[in-house]
């Protein structure tokens, strides 16, 4: 079974530029998540989708971050304009739940450096 | 927001030693997940725990879901060099109308003694 796919793996941009990340979840996983992981910390949830609807985006800095999952499968996360403090690893994850059994799987992440 | 306190923050291991780490919270969780993250990679799911008191093993790894549902521990027996990495606990609260929210601990960094 293929895992969560993300691209690009690395991105370097200057502040005030725009950037977009792409994620393809595990086939059949209805829930998709975007996390931001700052060096030395655990992942912090940015946005959660259930199919193509947003379930939770309370931690998403909406003045500069946006995300969509138009057909309920792939998702893109965009930052416009980027700030220095946006330098982090952006992780996509998808989850599966059967009864009370829940498992969430992560992609390899996109490491963003803003200069 | 919810806080997960994970300890220790870092530890040195010698090959063959047993390792123990834990997470505590002031909130109750429905599920505990333990992940390992290697440099440049995303977290990899190691063990999932679904019931209070549950003890689950995965090879040399053993994890338990605390009776109070507010804590969990992970043990690694007879550590080997490839155990080096960052281990994260994550607690899940199920919100029927608002989806499931996973909260992560700060991580335990395992390093090899020189």
């Amino acid at each position: 079974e293929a895992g969560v796919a993300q691209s690009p793996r690395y991105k370097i941009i200057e502040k005030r530029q725009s950037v977009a990340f792409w994620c393809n979840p595990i086939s059949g996983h209805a829930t998709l998540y975007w996390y931001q992981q700052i060096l030395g910390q655990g992942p912090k949830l940015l946005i959660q989708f259930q199919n193509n609807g947003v379930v939770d985006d309370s931690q998403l800095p909406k003045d500069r971050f946006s995300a969509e999952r138009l057909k309920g499968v792939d998702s893109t996360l965009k930052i416009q304009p980027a700030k220095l403090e946006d330098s982090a690893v952006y992780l996509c994850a998808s989850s599966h739940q059967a009864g009370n059994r829940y498992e969430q799987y992560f992609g390899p992440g996109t490491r963003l450096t803003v200069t | 927001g919810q806080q997960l306190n994970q300890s220790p923050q870092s530890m040195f291991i010698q090959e063959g030693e047993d390792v123990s780490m834990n997470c505590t919270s002031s909130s109750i969780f429905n599920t505990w997940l333990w992940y390992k993250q290697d440099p440049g990679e995303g977290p990899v799911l190691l063990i999932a725990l679904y019931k209070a008191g549950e003890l689950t093993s995965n090879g040399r790894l053993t994890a338990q879901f605390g009776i109070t549902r507010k804590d969990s521990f992970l043990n690694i027996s007879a550590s080997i060099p490839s155990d080096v990495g960052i281990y994260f606990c994550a607690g899940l609260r199920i919100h029927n109308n608002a989806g499931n929210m996973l909260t992560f601990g700060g991580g335990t960094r395992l390093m090899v003694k020189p």
Side-chain angles (χ1 to χ4, degrees):
Chain A
E1 178 183 88
V4 177
Q6 287 188 249
S7 68
R9 291 296 309 275
Y10 306 92
K11 191 74 178 178
I12 301 174
I13 61 172
E14 295 181 353
K15 60 183 179 185
R16 291 188 288 274
Q17 285 187 324
S18 305
V19 65
F21 313 127
W22 173 82
C23 172
N24 180 242
I26 292 173
S27 177
H29 284 196
T31 310
L32 183 148
Y33 312 77
W34 283 102
Y35 291 86
Q36 181 192 60
Q37 186 177 27
I38 302 229
L39 189 64
Q41 299 180 18
K44 183 190 95 172
L45 181 68
L46 292 174
I47 188 167
Q48 177 181 341
F49 291 93
Q50 180 79 14
N51 297 308
N52 61 347
V54 175
V55 171
D56 182 357
D57 63 356
S58 56
Q59 302 293 317
L60 190 73
K62 297 179 188 63
D63 57 334
R64 297 182 302 105
F65 286 63
S66 65
E68 59 183 14
R69 192 185 184 199
L70 292 176
K71 296 182 179 178
V73 180
D74 293 5
S75 176
T76 55
L77 176 70
K78 296 179 182 176
I79 308 176
Q80 180 180 11
K83 292 184 175 181
L84 294 176
E85 59 261 36
D86 298 332
S87 294
V89 175
Y90 291 84
L91 295 163
C92 180
S94 66
S95 69
H96 169 71
Q97 182 161 6
N100 71 329
R101 297 197 166 260
Y102 171 94
E103 294 177 350
Q104 185 175 127
Y105 298 92
F106 285 84
T110 297
R111 181 176 297 276
L112 174 68
T113 303
V114 182
T115 62
Chain B
Q2 297 171 49
Q3 295 287 330
L4 276 188
N5 299 309
Q6 186 170 349
S7 66
Q9 284 189 315
S10 61
M11 60 192 305
F12 282 94
I13 59 172
Q14 205 141 40
E15 188 171 352
E17 284 182 340
D18 294 345
V19 172
S20 186
M21 61 193 78
N22 69 82
C23 274
T24 60
S25 172
S26 57
S27 303
I28 288 172
F29 290 103
N30 303 105
T31 294
W32 284 93
L33 303 175
W34 284 92
Y35 290 87
K36 181 184 182 227
Q37 188 172 26
D38 291 325
E41 300 296 329
V44 174
L45 182 63
L46 299 174
I47 290 181
L49 301 158
Y50 301 106
K51 285 170 46 178
E54 179 180 354
L55 186 72
T56 296
S57 292
N58 178 7
R60 293 177 297 105
L61 277 59
T62 302
Q64 184 158 29
F65 193 142
I67 289 289
T68 64
R69 296 170 63 193
K70 294 181 180 180
D71 63 330
S72 177
F73 72 74
L74 175 71
N75 286 341
I76 305 173
S77 62
S79 56
I80 59 178
S82 60
D83 291 334
V84 163
I86 303 177
Y87 292 80
F88 289 101
C89 63
L92 177 76
R93 293 193 71 192
I94 296 175
H95 300 268
N96 289 329
N97 296 323
N100 304 323
M101 175 171 286
L102 206 59
T103 302
F104 282 82
T108 294
R109 180 182 297 271
L110 230 56
M111 296 166 283
V112 175
K113 278 182 187 171

